[in-house]
Amino acid sequence: PMVSVEELGQFELLCAMRQDHPFASSDRLCLQKLQDEDLITNTDGSQIGLATERLLQASGLAVTRRVTVRNQEIACSLVARRVGIAIVARPLPDHVANYPEVTFRPLEPASHITIGILVPKSGERSRRSAEFIECVRESSRRLMR
């Protein structure tokens, strides 16, 4: 191939639950604990959905009760309404602040979504593409603080 992937950042997968859920007292949430939970996940075609599927398959976890949503705000809204526990990714959208009863815990094992861009293997870049890549990289860093 004449292109390679240049990593720009990583977004951590988290478990979203109500603050009164028994798992909310944990610092990290072992994926196996989700076995008997109603799980809210992103659609399979999304990066969060694909990462969640890989994580569930790697763990051998067979989730039988599941709701699929299009975005993290809807997932958090359903968590707030006691529909289940969601797997979301940090950074979280600003609208999540509308759900103060929802809290987030990192997953164990930790899982991330890598954000990258295709670049020519030759390393040649226009000034504008280099500026764009740096802008995305810096935005990613700011979001993860």
Side-chain angles (χ1 to χ4, degrees), residues 23-53:
F23 296 161
S25 62
S26 301
D27 291 336
R28 300 186 75 77
L29 189 60
C30 176
L31 200 56
Q32 299 305 321
K33 287 187 175 183
L34 300 180
Q35 180 67 50
D36 296 322
E37 297 292 324
D38 294 322
L39 192 61
I40 303 164
T41 61
N42 279 254
T43 55
D44 292 342
S46 70
Q47 289 300 312
I48 299 170
L50 292 169
T52 300
E53 283 307 308

Side-chain angles (χ1 to χ4, degrees), residues 73-92:
E73 183 183 0
I74 295 170
C76 291
S77 170
L78 293 174
V79 168
R81 289 176 174 81
R82 300 181 192 278
V83 172
I85 289 180
I87 295 180
V88 297
R90 180 181 296 149
L92 298 160

Side-chain angles (χ1 to χ4, degrees), residues 3-133:
V3 295
S4 61
V5 176
E6 183 173 328
E7 185 177 311
L8 301 177
Q10 290 190 337
F11 296 163
E12 181 181 21
L13 289 182
L14 305 170
C15 192
M17 69 204 77
R18 287 184 53 90
Q19 289 185 12
D20 58 0
H21 192 284
F23 296 161
S25 62
S26 301
D27 291 336
R28 300 186 75 77
L29 189 60
C30 176
L31 200 56
Q32 299 305 321
K33 287 187 175 183
L34 300 180
Q35 180 67 50
D36 296 322
E37 297 292 324
D38 294 322
L39 192 61
I40 303 164
T41 61
N42 279 254
T43 55
D44 292 342
S46 70
Q47 289 300 312
I48 299 170
L50 292 169
T52 300
E53 283 307 308
R54 284 191 299 270
L55 187 63
L56 293 174
Q57 286 176 358
S59 72
L61 194 64
V63 177
T64 55
R65 298 181 313 241
R66 189 177 202 169
V67 175
T68 304
V69 297
R70 289 186 159 276
N71 64 57
Q72 298 191 103
E73 183 183 0
I74 295 170
C76 291
S77 170
L78 293 174
V79 168
R81 289 176 174 81
R82 300 181 192 278
V83 172
I85 289 180
I87 295 180
V88 297
R90 180 181 296 149
L92 298 160
D94 293 338
H95 303 297
V96 170
N98 295 333
Y99 309 104
E101 60 278 319
V102 177
T103 189
F104 304 91
R105 297 291 179 269
L107 291 169
E108 186 67 45
S111 185
H112 299 85
I113 298 171
T114 300
I115 305 300
I117 190 165
L118 294 175
V119 295
K121 276 196 172 178
S122 66
E124 296 177 25
R125 295 189 187 139
S126 68
R127 181 179 58 81
R128 290 201 188 262
S129 68
E131 289 170 355
F132 171 75
I133 290 169

